Amino acid sequence: MSHLMNTYARQPVAFTHGNGSHLWDSNGKQYLDALAGIAVNTLGHAHPRFTAALSAQIGKLIHVSNVYQIPEQEQLAAKLCGLSKMQEAFVCNSGCEANEAAIKLARMYGHKQGVEIPTVIVMEKAFHGRTLATLSATGNRKVQAGFEPLVSGFVRVPYDDLAAIEQVASHTPNIVAILVEPIQGEGGIRTPDIHYLQGLRKICDQRNWLLMLDEVQCGIGRTGKWFAHQHAGILPDVMTLAKGLGSGVPIGVCLAAGRAAGTFQPGNHGSTFGGNPLASTAALTTLDIIEQDKLMANAQSMGDFLHQGFQSRLGHLPGMTEIRGQGLMLGIVLARPCGELVGRALAQGLLINVTADNVVRLLPALTFSQADAQQLLDMLCPLIADFLSQDA
Ligand SMILES: *Cc1c(COP(=O)(O)O)cnc(C)c1O
């Protein structure tokens, strides 16, 4: 009997080691990893330069405390601000914490402007985490059920719908910010219209609201640019990062710029572990290797290759709805629920995920090679074709 709280329905497999996008289980069976720990293992497994940098850092310092200066954290903040054109960073340990920081920042921004009950617009099918504030911001009843009372101060609108925002604005006082994923991850790899983010930017500018982008899943090179919003050529006021930033070492960041910068003062927010020398080195090294090894270009080209491969091998099949996503953030949308594909793929040595009931989600490492991509097509296409040929 397990002594773990029953929070995950786990697959019956335990891995012992990995190399690049391959993993081995305790029986010596090999797997192709097309999930990368849900967009976390940016550099794949056991990347030699990453391993060396972390080992060296562990031999010097793992943790001190944020009551002291941490040069590695300063460097990381400067690097991320350079890449994103943001101004300042708060470093924490996960995506939900980064979003908590963003929500707290929006409330304090509102209070400073005399808004007594600051309200944040959030989206249907959004996912922002599982702390009380972030599950309240999440647009999925399953995540919220049983945890009421929810945190107040959110209003929800449909995703990718600018008119819905204008409408809610006309009858909701006290709005201070919009919190939105540039591409919805858990919601089913939903990519909005190319003008959506530009429209949100305009609305926020007109009304003095903060545009807060949750790039926890889509950020850090995954879509072929450092951050997914850069495809739209806009700048956010607040951006949150986590998953892929530390290549598996827990780290999250909330960045702010413009109107949002300078909101927090000492005592307003904090984190014991946030941005310690080990986590900051993991993130800095991840960013360095993405640059040196041109992994964003790889994400773009491998993503295009996979997109085309799936399209040509599956696109015409009855029961297929759509292949969508950007770079190495791909969703294969089927017309009916397909959760059982996860177990079938695992049995054949392939790690994938299904989200939003009917979307096969692929989030491989940014180091995914041409051979890995070919292997993924050859393993996954027959599985999906078989599944679709069976009666529901
Ligand atoms: C995973 C995820 C989160 C939550 O991150 P945790 O590290 O699990 O707290 C928040 N937002 C998005 C978009 C995510 O994909």
Side-chain angles (χ1 to χ4, degrees), residues 201-248:
R201 179 68 276 171
K202 199 178 275 176
I203 292 171
C204 287
D205 285 341
Q206 284 164 352
R207 297 179 181 268
N208 227 22
W209 299 346
L210 302 181
L211 178 57
M212 309 204 296
L213 300 183
D214 179 345
E215 294 234 11
V216 167
Q217 188 164 149
C218 59
I220 316 296
R222 178 153 296 280
T223 67
K225 291 195 187 283
W226 281 112
F227 309 107
H229 70 263
Q230 291 175 332
H231 293 283
I234 56 131
L235 290 177
D237 303 299
V238 173
M239 172 170 65
T240 57
L241 301 170
K243 290 198 165 83
L245 179 57
S247 293

Coordinates of all heavy atoms in Angstrom, one line a residue, residues 201-248:
R201 N -3.8 43.6 -25.9 CA -2.9 44.6 -25.6 C -3.6 46.0 -25.7 O -3.4 46.9 -24.9 CB -1.7 44.5 -26.5 CG -0.6 45.5 -26.4 CD 0.2 45.4 -25.1 NE -0.4 46.1 -24.0 CZ -0.1 46.1 -22.7 NH1 0.9 45.3 -22.4 NH2 -0.7 46.7 -21.8
K202 N -4.3 46.2 -26.8 CA -5.0 47.4 -27.0 C -6.0 47.7 -26.0 O -6.1 48.8 -25.4 CB -5.7 47.4 -28.4 CG -6.0 48.7 -29.0 CD -6.6 48.7 -30.4 CE -5.6 48.5 -31.5 NZ -6.3 48.4 -32.8
I203 N -6.8 46.7 -25.6 CA -7.9 46.9 -24.6 C -7.2 47.3 -23.2 O -7.6 48.3 -22.6 CB -8.7 45.6 -24.4 CG1 -9.5 45.4 -25.6 CG2 -9.6 45.7 -23.1 CD1 -10.2 44.0 -25.7
C204 N -6.1 46.6 -22.9 CA -5.4 46.9 -21.6 C -4.9 48.3 -21.6 O -4.9 49.0 -20.6 CB -4.4 45.9 -21.3 SG -5.0 44.3 -20.9
D205 N -4.3 48.7 -22.8 CA -3.7 50.1 -22.8 C -4.8 51.1 -22.7 O -4.7 52.1 -22.0 CB -3.0 50.3 -24.2 CG -1.7 49.6 -24.2 OD1 -1.2 49.2 -23.1 OD2 -1.1 49.3 -25.3
Q206 N -6.0 50.9 -23.4 CA -7.1 51.9 -23.3 C -7.6 52.0 -21.9 O -8.0 53.1 -21.5 CB -8.2 51.5 -24.3 CG -7.9 51.7 -25.7 CD -8.8 50.9 -26.6 OE1 -9.6 50.1 -26.2 NE2 -8.7 51.2 -27.9
R207 N -7.6 50.9 -21.2 CA -8.3 51.0 -19.9 C -7.4 51.0 -18.7 O -7.8 50.8 -17.5 CB -9.3 49.7 -19.8 CG -10.4 49.8 -20.8 CD -11.2 48.6 -20.8 NE -12.3 48.6 -21.8 CZ -13.5 49.1 -21.6 NH1 -13.8 49.7 -20.4 NH2 -14.4 49.1 -22.6
N208 N -6.0 51.0 -19.0 CA -5.1 51.0 -17.9 C -5.0 49.7 -17.1 O -4.7 49.7 -15.9 CB -5.4 52.2 -16.9 CG -4.1 52.9 -16.6 OD1 -3.1 52.9 -17.3 ND2 -4.1 53.6 -15.4
W209 N -5.4 48.6 -17.7 CA -5.4 47.3 -17.1 C -4.0 46.7 -17.4 O -3.3 47.1 -18.3 CB -6.4 46.3 -17.7 CG -7.8 46.7 -17.5 CD1 -8.4 47.7 -16.7 CD2 -8.9 46.1 -18.3 NE1 -9.7 47.7 -16.9 CE2 -10.1 46.8 -17.8 CE3 -9.0 45.1 -19.2 CZ2 -11.3 46.4 -18.3 CZ3 -10.3 44.8 -19.7 CH2 -11.4 45.4 -19.2
L210 N -3.6 45.7 -16.5 CA -2.4 44.9 -16.8 C -2.7 43.8 -17.7 O -3.7 43.0 -17.4 CB -1.8 44.4 -15.4 CG -1.5 45.5 -14.4 CD1 -0.9 44.8 -13.1 CD2 -0.5 46.5 -14.9
L211 N -1.9 43.6 -18.7 CA -2.0 42.3 -19.5 C -1.0 41.3 -18.9 O 0.2 41.5 -18.9 CB -1.6 42.6 -21.0 CG -1.7 41.4 -21.9 CD1 -3.0 40.7 -21.8 CD2 -1.3 41.8 -23.3
M212 N -1.5 40.3 -18.3 CA -0.7 39.3 -17.6 C -0.7 38.0 -18.3 O -1.8 37.3 -18.4 CB -1.2 39.1 -16.2 CG -1.4 40.4 -15.4 SD -1.3 40.3 -13.6 CE -2.7 39.3 -13.3
L213 N 0.4 37.6 -18.9 CA 0.5 36.4 -19.7 C 1.1 35.2 -18.9 O 2.2 35.3 -18.4 CB 1.3 36.6 -21.0 CG 0.8 37.7 -21.9 CD1 1.7 37.9 -23.1 CD2 -0.7 37.5 -22.3
D214 N 0.3 34.1 -18.9 CA 0.8 32.9 -18.3 C 1.5 32.1 -19.3 O 0.9 31.4 -20.1 CB -0.4 32.1 -17.6 CG 0.1 30.8 -17.0 OD1 1.2 30.3 -17.2 OD2 -0.8 30.2 -16.3
E215 N 2.9 32.2 -19.3 CA 3.7 31.4 -20.3 C 4.4 30.2 -19.6 O 5.5 29.8 -20.0 CB 4.7 32.3 -21.0 CG 4.1 33.4 -21.8 CD 4.6 33.4 -23.3 OE1 5.3 32.5 -23.6 OE2 4.3 34.4 -24.0
V216 N 3.7 29.7 -18.5 CA 4.3 28.6 -17.8 C 4.6 27.4 -18.7 O 5.6 26.8 -18.5 CB 3.4 28.3 -16.6 CG1 3.9 27.0 -15.9 CG2 3.5 29.4 -15.5
Q217 N 3.7 27.1 -19.6 CA 3.8 26.0 -20.4 C 4.4 26.3 -21.8 O 5.2 25.6 -22.4 CB 2.4 25.3 -20.6 CG 2.5 23.9 -21.3 CD 1.3 23.0 -21.1 OE1 0.9 22.3 -22.0 NE2 0.6 23.1 -20.0
C218 N 3.9 27.5 -22.4 CA 4.3 27.8 -23.8 C 5.6 28.6 -23.9 O 6.1 28.8 -25.0 CB 3.2 28.5 -24.4 SG 2.7 30.1 -23.7
G219 N 6.2 29.0 -22.7 CA 7.4 29.9 -22.8 C 8.7 29.1 -22.9 O 8.6 27.8 -23.1
I220 N 9.8 29.7 -22.8 CA 11.1 29.1 -22.8 C 11.4 28.4 -24.1 O 11.8 27.2 -24.1 CB 11.4 28.3 -21.6 CG1 10.9 28.9 -20.3 CG2 12.9 27.9 -21.4 CD1 11.6 30.2 -19.9
G221 N 11.2 29.0 -25.2 CA 11.6 28.5 -26.5 C 10.7 27.4 -27.2 O 10.9 27.1 -28.3
R222 N 9.7 26.9 -26.5 CA 9.0 25.8 -26.9 C 8.3 26.1 -28.3 O 8.1 25.2 -29.1 CB 7.9 25.4 -25.8 CG 7.0 24.2 -26.2 CD 6.5 23.5 -25.0 NE 7.6 22.8 -24.3 CZ 8.2 21.7 -24.7 NH1 7.8 21.0 -25.8 NH2 9.2 21.2 -24.0
T223 N 7.8 27.3 -28.5 CA 7.0 27.6 -29.7 C 7.9 28.1 -30.8 O 7.4 28.5 -31.9 CB 5.9 28.6 -29.5 OG1 6.5 29.8 -29.2 CG2 5.0 28.1 -28.3
G224 N 9.2 28.1 -30.6 CA 10.1 28.6 -31.7 C 10.6 30.0 -31.4 O 11.5 30.5 -32.1
K225 N 10.0 30.7 -30.5 CA 10.5 32.0 -30.0 C 10.7 31.8 -28.4 O 10.1 30.9 -27.8 CB 9.6 33.1 -30.3 CG 9.5 33.4 -31.8 CD 8.9 34.8 -32.0 CE 8.7 35.1 -33.5 NZ 9.9 35.5 -34.2
W226 N 11.4 32.7 -27.8 CA 11.6 32.6 -26.4 C 10.3 32.5 -25.7 O 10.1 31.7 -24.8 CB 12.4 33.8 -25.8 CG 13.9 33.7 -26.0 CD1 14.6 34.5 -26.9 CD2 14.8 32.8 -25.4 NE1 15.9 34.1 -26.8 CE2 16.1 33.0 -25.9 CE3 14.6 31.7 -24.5 CZ2 17.2 32.3 -25.6 CZ3 15.7 31.0 -24.1 CH2 17.0 31.3 -24.7
F227 N 9.3 33.4 -26.1 CA 8.0 33.5 -25.4 C 7.0 33.5 -26.5 O 7.1 34.1 -27.6 CB 7.9 34.7 -24.5 CG 9.1 34.8 -23.6 CD1 10.1 35.7 -23.8 CD2 9.3 33.9 -22.6 CE1 11.3 35.8 -23.0 CE2 10.4 33.9 -21.7 CZ 11.4 34.9 -21.9
A228 N 5.8 32.8 -26.3 CA 4.8 32.6 -27.3 C 4.3 33.9 -27.8 O 3.9 34.1 -28.9 CB 3.7 31.7 -26.8
H229 N 4.2 34.9 -26.8 CA 3.6 36.2 -27.2 C 4.4 37.0 -28.2 O 3.9 37.9 -28.9 CB 3.3 37.1 -26.0 CG 4.6 37.6 -25.3 ND1 5.2 37.0 -24.2 CD2 5.3 38.7 -25.6 CE1 6.3 37.7 -23.9 NE2 6.4 38.7 -24.8
Q230 N 5.7 36.6 -28.3 CA 6.6 37.3 -29.3 C 6.2 37.0 -30.7 O 6.5 37.8 -31.6 CB 8.0 36.9 -29.0 CG 8.5 37.5 -27.7 CD 9.9 37.0 -27.3 OE1 10.4 36.0 -27.7 NE2 10.6 37.8 -26.5
H231 N 5.4 36.0 -31.0 CA 4.9 35.7 -32.3 C 3.9 36.8 -32.7 O 3.6 37.1 -33.9 CB 4.2 34.4 -32.4 CG 5.1 33.2 -32.3 ND1 5.9 32.8 -33.3 CD2 5.4 32.4 -31.3 CE1 6.6 31.7 -33.0 NE2 6.3 31.4 -31.7
A232 N 3.2 37.4 -31.7 CA 2.2 38.5 -31.9 C 2.9 39.9 -31.9 O 2.2 40.9 -32.1 CB 1.1 38.4 -30.9
G233 N 4.1 40.0 -31.6 CA 4.8 41.3 -31.6 C 4.3 42.2 -30.5 O 4.4 43.4 -30.7
I234 N 3.8 41.7 -29.4 CA 3.4 42.6 -28.3 C 4.3 42.4 -27.1 O 5.0 41.4 -27.0 CB 1.9 42.3 -27.9 CG1 1.7 40.9 -27.5 CG2 1.0 42.7 -29.1 CD1 1.0 40.7 -26.2
L235 N 4.1 43.3 -26.1 CA 4.8 43.1 -24.8 C 3.7 43.1 -23.7 O 2.8 43.9 -23.7 CB 5.7 44.3 -24.5 CG 7.0 44.4 -25.4 CD1 7.7 45.7 -25.0 CD2 7.9 43.2 -25.2
P236 N 3.9 42.1 -22.8 CA 2.9 42.1 -21.6 C 3.4 43.1 -20.6 O 4.5 43.6 -20.6 CB 3.0 40.6 -21.2 CG 4.4 40.2 -21.5 CD 4.8 41.0 -22.8
D237 N 2.5 43.3 -19.6 CA 2.9 44.0 -18.4 C 3.4 43.1 -17.3 O 4.3 43.4 -16.5 CB 1.7 44.8 -17.8 CG 1.1 45.7 -18.8 OD1 1.9 46.6 -19.3 OD2 -0.1 45.6 -19.2
V238 N 2.9 41.8 -17.3 CA 3.3 40.8 -16.4 C 3.4 39.5 -17.1 O 2.5 39.2 -18.0 CB 2.3 40.7 -15.2 CG1 2.7 39.5 -14.3 CG2 2.2 42.0 -14.4
M239 N 4.4 38.7 -16.9 CA 4.5 37.4 -17.5 C 5.0 36.4 -16.5 O 5.9 36.7 -15.7 CB 5.5 37.4 -18.7 CG 5.8 36.0 -19.2 SD 6.7 36.0 -20.8 CE 8.3 36.7 -20.3
T240 N 4.4 35.2 -16.5 CA 4.8 34.1 -15.6 C 5.5 33.0 -16.4 O 5.0 32.6 -17.5 CB 3.7 33.6 -14.7 OG1 2.6 33.2 -15.6 CG2 3.2 34.7 -13.8
L241 N 6.5 32.4 -15.7 CA 7.3 31.3 -16.3 C 7.5 30.2 -15.3 O 7.5 30.5 -14.1 CB 8.6 31.8 -16.8 CG 8.7 32.9 -17.8 CD1 10.1 33.4 -18.0 CD2 8.2 32.4 -19.2
A242 N 7.7 29.0 -15.7 CA 8.1 27.9 -14.8 C 8.5 26.7 -15.6 O 9.6 26.7 -16.1 CB 7.0 27.6 -13.8
K243 N 7.6 25.8 -15.8 CA 7.9 24.4 -16.3 C 9.3 24.3 -16.9 O 10.2 23.7 -16.3 CB 6.8 24.1 -17.3 CG 5.5 23.8 -16.6 CD 4.6 23.0 -17.5 CE 3.4 22.4 -16.7 NZ 2.3 23.3 -16.4
G244 N 9.5 24.7 -18.2 CA 10.8 24.4 -18.9 C 12.0 25.2 -18.4 O 13.1 25.0 -18.9
L245 N 11.8 26.2 -17.5 CA 12.9 27.1 -17.2 C 14.1 26.5 -16.6 O 15.2 26.9 -16.8 CB 12.3 28.3 -16.3 CG 13.2 29.3 -15.8 CD1 13.9 30.1 -17.0 CD2 12.5 30.4 -15.0
G246 N 13.9 25.5 -15.7 CA 15.0 24.9 -15.0 C 15.3 23.5 -15.4 O 16.1 22.8 -14.8
S247 N 14.8 23.1 -16.6 CA 15.0 21.8 -17.1 C 14.8 20.7 -16.1 O 15.5 19.7 -16.1 CB 16.5 21.7 -17.7 OG 16.6 22.5 -18.8
G248 N 13.9 20.9 -15.2 CA 13.6 19.8 -14.2 C 13.9 20.3 -12.8 O 13.4 19.7 -11.8

